[in-house]
Amino acid sequence: MKTHGLRRGVAAVGALFTALALSLGATTAAQADTTTVTPVITEQTGNLHITKYDTTNAGPSAESTGIKAGETGGPAVPSGAELISGVTFSVQKLTDIDLTTNAGWTAAAAISLDANGDVSTNTNLGTASYGTTDSTGVPKVSTVAGVVETGATNAFQNLEVGVYYVKETITPAGVTPSAPFLVTIPITDPTNQNNWLYDVYVYPKNSDIRDVVKTVDDAAPYDATSQTQAITYTITTDVPRNPGTTSGTFVDPTGFKVTDTLPTGVTPDEVTAAVTSQTFTECTGSGTPENCDYTVAINSQLVTVTVTDAGLETLGDAAATADAKVTVTITATVAGTIASTLGTEIAGLSNTATVYPDADSITNSSGKTSEAVLTKWGSFSFTKQNSDGTGLAGAEFKIALSKADAQAGTFIRSAAVTSTDNGTVTITGLRASDFANGASQSLGAKTSDQETTYTQLNDNYIVYWLTETKAPTGYELLAEPIPVALLSDGTVKQIAQDANGALQYDASTGVATYVGTDNFTSITNVEKNAGFTLPLTGGSGTAALTIGGIAILAAVLVVARRRRAYEATV
């Protein structure tokens, strides 16, 4: 264990909040100095005022004296601190200590809390009262379940003079609870040490994992070799800032874990973690991790990153940097068969990540969860047909991501898709053209200084160029690829092209112009030679010439033979 101004092993709690030591979030207190107090304790009750601040993004805080923040002698609220609602406190009196006597103060000074924050000294605790903070960060009278009652007044008022044990019993997900503490009612007034303060103000601090942000990058091109598409998830959250007992110091978190269950069809491949301003190394190999910061476990779709004891110290170091972040990156692949049975529907693959910022949240499964990120994948079908609308079997298609790729024979998948007996062609496992990285996409708007022949300006918008690589028997190949878009609403549209083959779109919005208003449903092939009949070699047109030629040759041979016979008799 080590310190960040103080060691993590420094006691999380102390004896009493007094005029000598009552800090924002302080967990120690000392015995009041009764030797200078003239008059005696005359009141029978006092009030405990708790205000709950989140100091995740706050600067160092000033020491507190039990006086209200902002008043003379009181603490300054740390810059950047924010109020926390939904925190339930329990307050219990140590019933066998009488602070109206010097012996009672001596007994109070002997009280301590153990490593778990429980009262270790043999003493009796009274019945607990409860208060839950509202938007002002102040506890209101509540039930044990932490529900603030309508019109509830401030909790912990009119407490009998005595020593009180204060503990957080319910903490919102993602909020690291402050340590339990002891406080006396009253305390010596630090600005006038001849008086008692019966209104005691305390400011226990929390570290709130304010944001768990998950993003996705699914705009990578399809890999024809592996038949998969890369996808990357990034999870970013706050480094816990657990205040120490001295202003501006932080102690290590008691635990830290990140989990993420990826959607079916998405396979996690590699997981890395990083921390702002720190070296953060993964544990590899077997044995007990000592010189590394985190372990990675991949169990099917479940990814778990668990920070080691050494890594918790690294997080404690990082807490000294305001707004420090923990980042977990998951690289994965989407199988080409994803959404293979969806026809023309879109599969929205949605998932969240959860951060557990301390040991309690890990034990109780009470981490803070990110908003869901969404990726959209699907399939579409069309019919290969002749001019009469009859389906044609045996046509083969591949997909390119640009017209140039199609012409060069560069396709996203090596295997062709073949039309069935009724001419149906189904292309599976494609990302929606107009939805990438968790947001809607357009083709991209062209500016005046760009070339006039528009191909595509937004690489995140996918145009699928259907290319016929084998025609049905007796039919011609398509002369050029057909650009189509698989839209995130499940429809499929053919994108219009001008005379030069450039994609058509709205120049101001980048929205594609489609061919007609109907869905793309069919591709028509024409017969060989566009249906025209070619002359046949050996047909009737040449037969007469051949027969005539043979007759002439035969006549020449007969004449020649007779001449040779006559000459032989002369």
Side-chain angles (χ1 to χ4, degrees):
M1 297 187 296
K2 55 160 206 51
T3 64
H4 320 289
L6 289 176
R7 286 203 168 265
R8 180 157 60 104
V10 171
V13 294
L16 298 169
F17 281 92
T18 69
L20 297 178
L22 180 58
S23 65
L24 280 171
T27 52
T28 60
Q31 178 182 1
D33 183 1
T34 58
T35 60
T36 60
V37 177
T38 63
V40 297
I41 295 175
T42 58
E43 303 291 333
Q44 296 182 346
T45 62
N47 304 310
L48 177 61
H49 304 277
I50 298 175
T51 305
K52 193 66 171 172
Y53 282 105
D54 161 27
T55 59
T56 301
N57 295 321
S61 57
E63 298 296 329
S64 173
T65 59
I67 298 175
K68 186 176 181 180
E71 294 186 356
T72 302
V77 175
S79 174
E82 297 183 10
L83 300 165
I84 301 179
S85 61
V87 178
T88 297
F89 289 90
S90 67
V91 172
Q92 294 174 276
K93 185 181 180 184
L94 279 63
T95 57
D96 47 2
I97 294 180
D98 182 4
L99 291 188
T100 63
T101 67
N102 289 337
W105 283 98
T106 300
I111 301 294
S112 63
L113 301 180
D114 62 21
N116 296 320
D118 298 323
V119 178
S120 58
T121 306
N122 184 20
T123 187
N124 295 316
L125 293 175
T127 302
S129 58
Y130 297 90
T132 299
T133 60
D134 61 9
S135 60
T136 67
V138 174
K140 306 295 183 181
V141 174
S142 70
T143 65
V144 176
V147 178
V148 177
E149 301 171 359
T150 302
T153 58
N154 288 354
F156 316 132
Q157 307 299 290
N158 298 314
L159 299 177
E160 294 178 351
V161 167
V163 181
Y164 288 86
Y165 174 60
V166 184
K167 183 178 181 179
E168 290 186 24
T169 59
I170 297 177
T171 305
V175 176
T176 301
S178 58
F181 60 89
L182 295 164
V183 62
T184 64
I185 302 292
I187 65 170
T188 304
D189 184 345
T191 61
N192 182 1
Q193 294 187 349
N194 291 323
N195 287 322
W196 293 100
L197 289 179
Y198 294 92
D199 282 282
V200 178
Y201 291 83
V202 295
Y203 300 89
K205 295 181 291 186
N206 287 61
S207 176
D208 178 12
I209 300 299
R210 186 187 314 280
D211 292 311
V212 178
V213 178
K214 182 174 183 181
T215 59
V216 61
D217 181 349
D218 59 359
Y222 197 93
D223 188 310
T225 302
S226 65
Q227 300 291 286
T228 58
Q229 183 161 340
I231 185 170
T232 301
Y233 295 103
T234 303
I235 304 151
T236 304
T237 189
D238 302 299
V239 168
R241 306 184 83 200
N242 303 308
T245 55
T246 303
S247 175
T249 65
F250 301 93
V251 298
D252 302 336
T254 56
F256 196 91
K257 184 172 76 171
V258 178
T259 63
D260 193 347
T261 302
L262 303 187
T264 301
V266 180
T267 303
D269 298 320
E270 183 179 8
V271 181
T272 59
V275 177
T276 300
S277 75
Q278 302 295 316
T279 299
F280 209 58
T281 59
E282 180 183 356
C283 302
T284 57
S286 58
T288 302
E290 295 179 354
N291 300 316
C292 53
D293 296 295
Y294 66 94
T295 62
V296 173
I298 299 177
N299 183 8
S300 185
Q301 306 306 109
L302 174 62
V303 173
T304 303
V305 174
T306 304
V307 177
T308 65
D309 288 343
L312 295 176
E313 294 187 7
T314 302
L315 293 182
D317 285 335
T321 301
D323 203 28
K325 302 292 183 183
V326 177
T327 302
V328 173
T329 303
I330 303 171
T331 56
T333 50
V334 180
T337 56
I338 195 170
S340 60
T341 61
L342 292 177
T344 57
E345 297 179 6
I346 287 288
L349 303 183
S350 174
N351 72 307
T352 60
T354 302
V355 174
Y356 303 89
D358 54 35
D360 286 342
S361 63
I362 294 173
T363 300
N364 300 321
S365 297
S366 58
K368 190 165 187 176
T369 301
S370 70
E371 295 289 334
V373 295
L374 183 64
T375 59
K376 294 186 177 183
W377 305 81
S379 308
F380 70 93
S381 298
F382 60 91
T383 301
K384 182 67 173 179
Q385 63 186 26
N386 63 16
S387 57
D388 295 329
T390 302
L392 301 174
E396 294 184 0
F397 286 89
K398 292 185 179 182
I399 296 176
L401 296 181
S402 70
K403 190 172 185 178
D405 283 352
Q407 293 169 336
T410 302
F411 302 107
I412 66 171
R413 299 175 188 173
S414 57
V417 179
T418 304
S419 61
T420 62
D421 289 344
N422 64 0
T424 300
V425 178
T426 300
I427 310 294
T428 63
L430 300 177
R431 179 173 68 76
S433 297
D434 61 342
F435 193 91
N437 300 342
S440 297
Q441 306 288 328
S442 66
L443 275 170
K446 180 179 62 179
T447 59
S448 59
D449 60 344
Q450 290 169 329
E451 61 185 50
T452 57
T453 302
Y454 175 78
T455 52
Q456 185 171 337
L457 299 178
N458 180 3
D459 290 335
N460 291 339
Y461 186 103
I462 294 183
V463 177
Y464 294 108
W465 294 80
L466 293 176
T467 308
E468 189 175 35
T469 56
K470 180 182 177 181
T473 301
Y475 290 85
E476 298 285 0
L477 282 167
L478 293 179
E480 59 181 353
I482 298 175
V484 299
L486 172 60
L487 303 181
S488 55
D489 62 2
T491 61
V492 183
K493 300 287 188 179
Q494 180 178 345
I495 301 176
Q497 297 172 269
D498 65 15
N500 297 318
L503 299 177
Q504 297 295 285
Y505 70 105
D506 184 308
S508 61
T509 65
V511 175
T513 301
Y514 304 122
V515 175
T517 58
D518 296 332
N519 283 345
F520 174 78
T521 57
S522 63
I523 293 178
T524 300
N525 278 52
V526 299
E527 297 177 6
K528 283 286 187 180
N529 198 41
F532 298 117
T533 302
L534 293 173
L536 300 176
T537 301
S540 59
T542 60
L545 295 175
T546 303
I547 293 171
I550 294 173
I552 293 171
L553 179 60
V556 170
L557 292 174
V558 170
V559 171
R561 188 179 298 114
R562 288 179 178 177
R563 179 177 294 175
R564 288 195 296 272
Y566 171 76
E567 290 175 348
T569 59
V570 174

